[in-house]
Amino acid sequence: MAATISFDRVSDIYDATRGLPPGISEQITDFIINLVSPTAETKFYETGIGTGRIAVPIAKRGYFYTGVDISEKMLAELHQKLEGVSHQLTAIKGDATSLPFADNSFDVALTVHVFHLVSAWKQALAEIRRVLKPGGIYLYTHGNMNFSKVNEDVNQGRFDFQQRWQDIIASYDYPLPGYGATEEEVLGELHEQGANL
């Protein structure tokens, strides 16, 4: 199993700290649905499904949705959300670098804020490509901290903090940890594999 950062320790506060407000969640769901134009037969897949902040709203609309996550506790939070709700969602504990699915199983694949946490991200990406049907759609977001202009003061503060942190570490000649992928690396790998970006 490749080294992957687990969110077990923060599973109980994950939605409170990283959840999406209902209005935003609906907008994201609408955007995804409009972008991929799913039918009743469309099968979605997500690496790093977590507590289901992307998956649950789509599954509640009646679509088939499958996801894997390394964290049992995050999956427990997801399963708790689904209690008493009609859905076609399957979430299992699994390794992103060795998916337990046949080739060409899914029409749409999603990865949201995951590859910076997976050391063997190229292998995880290859697995997504393997289980995605030819001509399937892969939606990927890395989550740059300064991507959103919703609150520039907060985003600038986060950027300044990151820069200052890097400066402090560099002043001690301590190498910055490079765990997973950057957005540029993932997009470059996809381009190299022939994906239409």
Side-chain angles (χ1 to χ4, degrees):
M1 182 183 294
T4 305
I5 296 175
S6 173
F7 279 68
D8 275 352
R9 293 183 302 157
V10 295
S11 61
D12 57 335
I13 62 165
Y14 186 85
D15 285 344
T17 59
R18 296 188 180 164
L20 300 168
I24 302 297
S25 179
E26 287 302 312
Q27 287 179 40
I28 290 171
T29 302
D30 289 342
F31 177 75
I32 291 170
I33 298 301
N34 290 333
L35 186 64
V36 302
S37 300
T39 68
E41 304 304 313
T42 299
K43 293 181 180 175
F44 288 83
Y45 166 75
E46 183 178 358
T47 292
I49 194 170
T51 62
R53 64 184 180 162
I54 304 298
V56 169
I58 293 172
K60 281 183 176 179
R61 293 193 186 185
Y63 296 104
F64 294 99
Y65 206 107
T66 302
V68 299
D69 203 286
I70 196 92
S71 169
E72 286 184 36
K73 291 184 178 180
M74 292 286 278
L75 291 171
E77 293 288 328
L78 169 57
H79 290 299
Q80 188 174 24
K81 281 184 192 178
L82 294 171
E83 287 180 11
V85 175
S86 177
H87 65 86
Q88 298 182 85
L89 190 149
T90 303
I92 58 172
K93 183 173 192 241
D95 180 355
T97 64
S98 181
L99 298 176
F101 310 114
D103 295 359
N104 309 320
S105 294
F106 301 100
D107 304 289
V108 178
L110 298 93
T111 309
V112 179
H113 306 265
V114 172
F115 283 149
H116 64 289
L117 305 171
V118 180
S119 61
W121 63 271
K122 285 186 181 183
Q123 189 176 345
L125 182 58
E127 279 292 276
I128 291 168
R129 301 241 349 179
R130 180 183 67 77
V131 301
L132 188 61
K133 292 178 182 176
I137 298 172
Y138 176 46
L139 303 176
Y140 162 78
T141 180
H142 202 83
N144 288 343
M145 70 178 140
N146 60 354
F147 178 78
S148 173
K149 298 285 185 192
V150 173
N151 186 334
E152 291 186 3
D153 292 338
V154 170
N155 288 326
Q156 185 62 47
R158 291 171 78 185
F159 179 78
D160 292 344
F161 173 81
Q162 182 70 21
Q163 284 298 124
R164 184 67 182 124
W165 178 266
Q166 291 174 356
D167 293 344
I168 291 168
I169 298 296
S171 73
Y172 287 96
D173 292 326
Y174 186 82
L176 287 172
Y179 197 75
T182 65
E183 180 176 25
E184 293 75 21
E185 289 172 322
V186 175
L187 294 176
E189 182 69 15
L190 286 167
H191 186 271
E192 202 170 288
Q193 291 180 10
N196 293 322
L197 303 180

